[in-house]
Amino acid sequence: MTDISYLLLVMLVMTVATYATRLTPFVLFSRGQERALINFIAKNTPPMIMTILVIYMLKGVNYLSFEGVYTFIALLVTVVFHLYKRNALLSIIAGTTVYMVAVQM
Amino acid sequence: MIRSVIKTTLPILFGFLPLGIAFGILFQELGYPWYFATLMGICVYAGAAQFMAVGMLGAGVGLFEIAISTFFLNSRDLFYGLALLNSFGAWGLRKFYLIFGLTDETYALMTTLTVPKEFNRERYYFLMTLFSQCYWVLGCSIGALASSSLDFNTEGMDFAATALFTVLLIEQWLKVRKPLPFVVAFVSSCIALILFFQHMLLAAIVLSITTIIILRFIKSKQND
């Protein structure tokens, strides 16, 4: 079942749908109306979304298995490294390496 | 500038490459030629939606349903743009591309890290976006092309995304230093997890933004 025209249409539709979600706010708020509220939202969304993204990444983990323990340790390594050195790349590499070694053991 | 951008986006490489490879492997099982995985990475460029598409392509789902599902799956991007309205410079091809390439990962980096003073911000963002997409397209292609002969075990590499968001969360805290948005987001996430486990991400974003607007409204009423 390799219908190329169906695949191409699906891709086209998905490209437009994805782009629409990304473009909409820029088109809607390009003329500076409701500035105060938009600025308030703009200022508060990054800390909120970062919190949500972290929880989202952790929601699929099975905390009653080794996966949960490995995730906890790798997170701890990431946080400790970051608070100690404040080098984003170093913290991420350290945490990810610990996690990869743990799950591949 | 290129060296600095590569260093900044390296965590995205670690996140996108294994995820792209996973997508390529799944996609290739549908029986299409490998370069369609590449094409999808280039023109759709949305991780979760591409994984969803594999299932839908396999089932031969209708175009309308695919369009709606893609839109809702990516609708968190509606809120991402709000924080970057003034960061992408004047309208032009570059801005259209920056918006096209706005993903969880680039959004997180752009709103948290400060571009080094010596570089032009929009050009820096452009290269960040371009490189990130290259990592993704590379991953999709490798996965579809070499799924059977892949030697390197990437299992667990996807933890890079979790680590990236965790680091950026710490950076946000050091920057904002007010507990309110973090608490609101945490509570919203817990509620969203209980009520909408599958669609937790969007539900939590909508809930937290609504909550913080209501809180602001109440506060301004009290001040009157």
Side-chain angles (χ1 to χ4, degrees):
Chain A
M1 213 200 70
T2 54
D3 184 352
I4 302 291
S5 62
Y6 170 64
L7 174 67
L8 288 176
L9 274 173
V10 167
M11 278 200 213
L12 179 69
V13 159
M14 288 184 68
T15 304
V16 173
T18 302
Y19 199 41
T21 58
R22 290 175 186 166
L23 186 64
T24 304
F26 290 91
V27 174
L28 275 185
F29 302 109
S30 63
R31 276 186 296 267
Q33 62 279 65
E34 291 283 348
R35 263 293 165 230
L37 184 61
I38 293 299
N39 283 342
F40 174 78
I41 297 173
K43 210 177 79 220
N44 281 289
T45 38
M48 293 199 301
I49 286 175
M50 234 55 79
T51 309
I52 294 167
L53 281 173
V54 171
I55 298 172
Y56 172 73
M57 296 306 290
L58 296 174
K59 84 171 173 143
V61 177
N62 178 0
Y63 289 98
L64 298 173
S65 69
F66 280 117
E67 190 197 5
V69 180
Y70 299 153
T71 306
F72 181 76
I73 294 172
L75 266 183
L76 200 67
V77 169
T78 312
V79 172
V80 169
F81 254 88
H82 200 63
L83 293 177
Y84 185 61
K85 290 274 189 189
R86 254 198 110 177
N87 178 332
L89 190 57
L90 189 70
S91 324
I92 292 162
I93 290 178
T96 309
T97 309
V98 167
Y99 188 78
M100 283 179 76
V101 169
V103 294
Q104 290 184 18
M105 263 189 322
Chain B
M1 176 136 85
I2 289 182
R3 270 189 58 184
S4 168
V5 171
I6 291 179
K7 230 183 108 196
T8 310
T9 55
L10 216 49
I12 300 188
L13 173 70
F14 297 140
F16 277 8
L17 209 55
L19 211 62
I21 291 175
F23 166 77
I25 293 172
L26 278 176
F27 182 84
Q28 172 269 332
E29 283 166 7
L30 289 172
Y32 293 111
W34 65 271
Y35 45 82
F36 282 110
T38 311
L39 185 63
M40 205 160 190
I42 293 172
C43 66
V44 179
Y45 188 37
Q50 282 182 227
F51 277 98
M52 178 198 74
V54 173
M56 292 187 137
L57 280 165
V61 173
L63 292 175
F64 183 70
E65 196 179 324
I66 290 182
I68 298 293
S69 311
T70 307
F71 186 85
F72 279 104
L73 196 59
N74 288 327
S75 45
R76 62 183 182 282
D77 293 347
L78 292 169
F79 303 102
Y80 289 178
L82 288 178
L84 294 164
L85 284 177
N86 301 319
S87 309
F88 286 174
W91 283 104
L93 276 182
R94 182 173 59 200
K95 186 165 183 176
F96 279 111
Y97 179 68
L98 283 170
I99 294 169
F100 169 80
L102 191 56
T103 59
D104 293 333
E105 283 78 359
T106 46
Y107 166 84
L109 278 180
M110 285 171 182
T111 52
T112 308
L113 303 180
T114 326
V115 174
K117 276 191 299 291
E118 61 266 38
F119 304 127
N120 172 287
R121 185 173 63 178
E122 285 98 46
R123 283 188 55 195
Y124 198 85
Y125 281 179
F126 175 75
L127 287 179
M128 274 174 66
T129 307
L130 183 67
F131 283 26
S132 302
Q133 188 177 11
C134 288
Y135 306 150
W136 175 249
V137 173
L138 195 67
C140 295
S141 312
I142 294 175
L145 193 59
S147 58
S148 51
S149 57
L150 219 53
D151 259 358
F152 182 61
N153 187 354
T154 56
E155 194 196 345
M157 211 191 208
D158 52 346
F159 185 82
T162 311
L164 170 67
F165 295 138
T166 305
V167 163
L168 295 178
L169 176 60
I170 298 173
E171 288 295 324
Q172 281 293 337
W173 168 253
L174 296 172
K175 202 167 159 181
V176 177
R177 292 261 178 203
K178 276 189 312 181
L180 185 68
F182 301 95
V183 173
V184 167
F186 181 76
V187 174
S188 304
S189 300
C190 293
I191 296 171
L193 274 177
I194 295 166
L195 295 181
F196 312 95
F197 191 81
Q198 277 300 317
H199 304 283
M200 169 269 172
L201 191 52
L202 179 64
I205 292 173
V206 173
L207 200 59
S208 60
I209 292 180
T210 315
T211 310
I212 206 147
I213 291 174
I214 293 172
L215 289 177
R216 175 182 189 254
F217 184 72
I218 294 172
K219 212 175 139 201
S220 71
K221 276 275 181 246
Q222 281 171 344
N223 291 345
D224 281 346

